[in-house]
Amino acid sequence: RRWRDEEWGCLDAKLLLSLGRRMRSPKEARGAHRQAEEEGWCSLVIARLASLADPETTTEARDLRARVLWMLQAHVAFYKGGGSSGGTAELSEKLGVPELVAAGLLDRFMTPQGTGTATRYARSKRQHQLCGLYIAVLLLHLDGFAFDAIAYGDELKLGTKDVNSRLREMGCFVERKRLRTGTTAVARLKAPLTFPKIKRGAAPKK
C-alpha cells in the first residue's frame, strides 16, 4: 500500500464494520443505507458495505477491507473537494477525515506554494487525474481486479471517453455489454498487462 502506517492506524474500522453488519441484515439494511448517505459516505463505499459482514471472511480480512473502504472514501472526497487547501487541519475538516490521512493526501496529490504560515497547497490537472487513478486502484483491490466502470464514472463525474482513457492508462480494459435492462461496463485488470502505445509525431524531414 502507498499510505503510511500512521495513516492506516488512525482509521476507525469499527464504524464501517457496524454499518456493514446492518447492511447485510434484511431488517436493518434500508435504515443503514439511509444512515450511510446522511453521514456522507460516497456511493462507491455504500455499495460495498454489506461485504464487510461476509461470514466466509476472517475478522482480519474484514478489518483490512473496512480500512481500504475508509481510504476510498477519503480519496473520493478529496478528488471532488476542490483544487486548493491551506493545510492539513483545513483539509481534514473539509473532507471529514483524520488529519494524518489529510496530510498523506496533501503529500501525494498537492504541491506546496509559498512558505511558512502563508503556505497553501494547489493541485495540478495531472495530480487530479492521478488521484482518480488511485481510486480505481483501490476499487480493483476491493473487487478482485474487476469493478463497475459506470459507477466509477458516475461518482467522479467522468464521461465514457475519459473513463476508458484513464483505465487504459493503468492497464485495464473495459468490457461493455448491452442488456435489456441497460448497458453494463466492467473494468478488468488482466495479466500480462498491456498499456497504450506511446503516440509519436512524424519523423522530421531531412
Side-chain angles (χ1 to χ4, degrees):
R1 61 178 190 266
R2 287 189 58 192
W3 47 85
R4 297 182 287 264
D5 287 342
E6 53 267 31
E7 292 178 67
W8 187 251
C10 75
L11 298 172
D12 183 7
K14 293 180 181 178
L15 175 62
L16 281 176
L17 289 168
S18 176
L19 275 174
R21 286 191 292 270
R22 292 178 59 204
M23 288 285 282
R24 204 170 181 90
S25 167
K27 293 182 179 179
E28 297 187 68
R30 184 174 296 179
H33 192 283
R34 184 169 57 252
Q35 178 186 338
E37 288 182 328
E38 291 173 351
E39 292 177 350
W41 295 99
C42 72
S43 63
L44 295 176
V45 170
I46 292 174
R48 291 162 176 80
L49 285 175
S51 66
L52 295 176
D54 184 351
E56 299 298 320
T57 59
T58 64
T59 300
E60 182 180 359
R62 290 194 290 272
D63 181 81
L64 171 64
R65 187 172 179 84
R67 292 174 189 270
V68 176
L69 282 174
W70 236 121
M71 277 296 179
L72 175 62
Q73 171 72 19
H75 283 75
V76 170
F78 177 75
Y79 181 92
K80 298 164 70 174
S84 66
S85 175
T88 301
E90 180 183 314
L91 186 64
S92 172
E93 183 177 358
K94 181 179 181 180
L95 302 183
V97 300
E99 286 197 12
L100 287 169
V101 173
L105 291 168
L106 288 176
D107 183 54
R108 285 188 289 273
F109 303 113
M110 278 191 164
T111 303
Q113 299 181 338
T115 57
T117 57
T119 300
R120 290 194 64 82
Y121 293 80
R123 182 172 61 197
S124 68
K125 181 179 179 181
R126 183 54 181 163
Q127 286 172 319
H128 185 62
Q129 292 173 341
L130 287 173
C131 182
L133 290 176
Y134 195 75
I135 290 168
V137 170
L138 292 172
L139 290 172
L140 287 169
H141 176 82
L142 287 162
D143 293 359
F145 302 102
F147 64 87
D148 184 341
I150 293 177
Y152 169 77
D154 287 347
E155 184 67 65
L156 302 190
K157 302 296 189 292
L158 294 172
T160 301
K161 183 178 179 181
D162 284 335
V163 168
N164 290 345
S165 174
R166 294 188 186 190
L167 294 179
R168 280 200 304 270
E169 183 179 345
M170 57 186 294
C172 291
F173 73 94
V174 179
E175 183 182 82
R176 295 183 179 272
K177 293 182 179 179
R178 291 184 180 275
L179 306 174
R180 290 182 179 179
T181 54
T183 301
T184 64
V186 178
R188 299 185 187 278
L189 188 66
K190 190 175 181 180
L193 293 178
T194 56
F195 298 100
K197 294 181 179 180
I198 298 174
K199 295 181 180 180
R200 303 182 185 277
K205 294 181 180 181
K206 296 182 179 180

